[in-house]
Structures are given as C-alpha cells and as structure tokens.
Amino acid sequence: PEEGGGWFRNPQFRLSVATSCKVVISVVQYDPKVPGRGHRTVPAGLVVLRARKGAAPVRAWEVSDDLVTARADPRMGRETSVSARLQGGTLYFVVPYTSTEGSEGAFILRCYSPSMVELQRVPPPVVAEVRSEWLGHYAGGRRPNPTWLKNPQILMTSANCDVDCVVQ
C-alpha cells in the first residue's frame, strides 16, 4: 500500500517520453487458470510519479500528492491501467503495488505511446540494517537535551553514491 513504511521496496520503473504525449500504462498479471503457473491474482494498483527536480533520480522513496501524475487504486483483476499526459524530457517513476504488504505476484508492465518511450527497471534498494536500543545510560532523549549525545550512534559511509536513509 502507498501508506506503508516499506512502499519504496515495490518494483519500480523509470519512464521518459521523447515528446509530450498521452500514454497508457498497464500492469497485467498472469492468468492463474493456466496450468503450471502456480500463482494467484492479487489486488494490484499503479502510480506514476514525476521525479523531483534537482534530486538524484535513483528511485521514488515515497508518494507525494504534488508528484502524482496518475494513479489506479488496487483492485482485483488481471489488469490495472492508467492513462496520463507526460511531458517530454521529464523523468517519471512507475510503481505497481499490491493492496497488502507482503503480497507477491508475477506481472508484465506495458506502456503504450505515440512517442518514443524509454522504460527501464530500477534496481532494488541495497539494504543495510543495524539493530540497536535505547537502554539505561544510552537513553539520552531528544535534542537539545544535553544528554542527547548518549543516544546510540551509527556511522554510515558510502563510496561514490547518494544514500537515502529510512529510519523506522
């Protein structure tokens, strides 16, 4: 779901068109009645987001209403689609998603356009996880409390890339 904390982990695709035009984007799930497929249809939705200007276009980390270009709320069925007018030279993210976090299913993403289209899959995010806790002496409270520096601290380094950090 769009409001979930792990929404950014959904498969994402970068989309751009050569010239401004209307496109139809469709996410199609495989037919569960076909023998040997071994999967079920799940309620699926689709959102198209304009990339933020000046930001590194790595992936969409959240849904912001001012960036939504088109949206189809999750529904049960093999196909969910949206139509949108896209601006040439602008980068968009297409994010298909299920109605429930953890639901899995195979799909095909299609984009129909009268203009040249560039559509590429965004690599999944790299995840580094550190577990910690506020306990006893290491529960320093919030800033500007003078004991704030006693809170657990984590050093993060990155070699030649941008890092987006999500704290949950």
Side-chain angles (χ1 to χ4, degrees):
E2 290 183 23
E3 65 278 354
W7 178 86
F8 63 88
R9 292 188 305 245
N10 281 302
Q12 296 189 19
F13 302 84
R14 285 188 202 97
L15 171 65
S16 60
V17 291
T19 59
S20 297
C21 64
K22 181 179 177 182
V23 300
V24 175
I25 303 166
S26 176
V27 59
V28 182
Q29 299 181 63
Y30 293 106
D31 188 346
K33 295 175 193 156
V34 174
R37 293 280 171 135
H39 64 84
R40 59 187 170 76
T41 302
V42 297
L46 182 63
V47 65
V48 180
L49 302 165
R50 183 176 33 81
R52 288 190 188 280
K53 296 242 188 251
V58 177
R59 77 182 301 107
W61 294 102
E62 62 187 354
V63 177
S64 177
D65 286 340
D66 62 319
L67 300 176
V68 173
T69 302
R71 170 187 278 137
D73 291 327
R75 65 176 199 81
M76 186 55 91
R78 286 193 49 227
E79 184 171 10
T80 302
S81 61
V82 296
S83 63
R85 180 137 188 87
L86 303 183
Q87 301 301 312
T90 300
L91 179 65
Y92 297 88
F93 289 101
V94 178
V95 186
Y97 62 97
T98 61
S99 63
T100 306
E101 189 169 344
S103 289
E104 296 180 353
F107 64 87
I108 298 169
L109 185 72
R110 295 183 176 138
C111 182
Y112 302 94
S113 167
S115 175
M116 287 292 295
V117 171
E118 185 174 339
L119 181 67
Q120 51 185 211
R121 175 116 192 221
V122 174
V126 175
V127 178
E129 183 174 289
V130 177
R131 295 187 183 269
S132 189
E133 60 184 319
W134 295 280
L135 190 63
H137 178 73
Y138 296 104
R142 66 181 195 163
R143 289 188 73 171
N145 188 333
T147 60
W148 179 80
L149 289 174
K150 292 182 179 182
N151 284 310
Q153 298 179 30
I154 299 164
L155 174 65
M156 296 174 24
T157 61
S158 171
N160 300 322
C161 67
D162 293 329
V163 175
D164 288 298
C165 185
V166 177
V167 179
Q168 294 180 324

